[in-house]
Amino acid sequence: MASFVAVYGSPRKDGNSARILKSAVEGALSDGAQVKEFYLRDKKISPCLEIYGCAKTGRCVIKDDFHEIADAIVASDGLFLASPMFFYTVSAHTKAFMDRCQSLWMKKYEIDKTPFGQANTKRLGLFIGVGATKGKRLFDGALLTMRYFFDTFDMDLHKSLLYRGLDNKDDILAHSDYLKEAFDAGAQMNKDADERV
Ligand SMILES: Cc1cc2nc3c(=O)[nH]c(=O)nc-3n(C[C@H](O)[C@H](O)[C@H](O)COP(=O)(O)O)c2cc1C
């Protein structure tokens, strides 16, 4: 049985990405996983201040809600992260959280001197991206960001669910197929995590 963290990155409550992520969480739970959920819109998380208070210990010195989420991810078998596309990348809420993870990057690469590119993917990452337009390259930027972000947590981008053409808050409700796909992906994440242990 795997334990996952689910991070809801949209400022919008019960919007498209949140509903899709919720479905993935329900799928994981149905398969026996444990899931801790965090809604970034409800958290106080400063942007990275680039003061490198983390340089000696790898722990960010800003005291806010960042730590409970990062610590939960470190203790987990994987992360489900959902964000809408804002100007072809993740939301500001999501990006602020990600930038604070520079402290983990410092620990991994500057303090522990982990060789770059060393395959250490004991945790599994699921990224859910949602955008209004239908452009082929809509998720290019976010996927690159996500790969490097997941790496700080020794996690690979195991699965991406990318949905175009969703704009208004309830648009997702016309797509039970997307919700079903997310449910199944959540259940599969649990199976895949169990195999990896
Ligand atoms: C600030 C802002 C920027 C956006 N930028 C894009 C964009 O670059 N490409 C796109 O396809 N949709 C863009 N959208 C639309 C959202 O991605 C879309 O409405 C999405 O369904 C919102 O997901 P949510 O309900 O999970 O918040 C933008 C919306 C906002 C508010």
Side-chain angles (χ1 to χ4, degrees):
M1 181 193 64
S3 74
F4 293 109
V5 170
V7 172
Y8 294 79
S10 174
R12 187 147 73 175
K13 191 171 186 286
D14 300 329
N16 296 312
S17 61
R19 282 197 164 105
I20 296 167
L21 176 53
K22 193 69 181 174
S23 201
V25 167
E26 284 164 2
L29 292 171
S30 78
D31 204 64
Q34 291 182 340
V35 186
K36 273 190 188 161
E37 296 171 90
F38 297 97
Y39 290 80
L40 295 182
R41 67 190 293 278
D42 297 332
K43 299 292 177 187
K44 291 265 177 296
I45 298 179
S46 161
C48 173
L49 301 179
E50 220 180 348
I51 50 177
Y52 282 100
C54 58
K56 287 212 171 83
T57 63
R59 190 134 184 111
C60 180
V61 294
I62 304 169
K63 291 187 176 40
D64 62 14
D65 294 338
F66 163 74
H67 298 280
E68 60 168 322
I69 306 175
D71 290 350
I73 297 171
V74 168
S76 77
D77 297 306
L79 170 64
F80 297 2
L81 174 65
S83 175
M85 289 306 102
F86 284 179
F87 287 93
Y88 287 83
T89 186
V90 294
S91 68
H93 289 69
T94 308
K95 190 60 165 57
F97 175 74
M98 293 174 105
D99 286 353
R100 292 286 298 284
C101 295
Q102 177 70 358
S103 49
L104 288 117
W105 192 97
M106 289 295 287
K107 169 135 182 51
K108 183 170 180 177
Y109 291 113
E110 293 289 334
I111 299 170
D112 296 345
K113 308 273 185 220
T114 306
F116 281 101
Q118 177 179 289
N120 181 356
T121 53
K122 61 183 174 146
R123 300 189 184 94
L124 303 180
L126 167 69
F127 173 59
I128 295 170
V130 171
T133 55
K134 299 205 169 163
K136 197 168 144 231
R137 305 194 62 191
L138 177 57
F139 300 105
D140 284 9
L143 284 173
L144 195 54
T145 303
M146 218 46 69
R147 254 180 222 117
Y148 286 96
F149 166 66
F150 281 154
D151 174 74
T152 61
F153 285 104
D154 295 332
M155 195 181 292
D156 66 350
L157 179 53
H158 187 66
K159 174 94 181 157
S160 302
L161 296 172
L162 308 173
Y163 299 108
R164 297 169 170 81
L166 299 174
D167 197 4
N168 296 317
K169 187 178 169 189
D170 291 335
D171 283 355
I172 184 61
L173 299 180
H175 292 276
S176 55
D177 50 336
Y178 295 175
L179 294 169
K180 168 80 167 64
E181 185 179 40
F183 184 95
D184 291 346
Q188 190 61 44
M189 288 291 287
N190 186 51
K191 291 182 177 54
D192 294 349
D194 280 348
E195 265 178 29
R196 192 169 282 197
V197 172

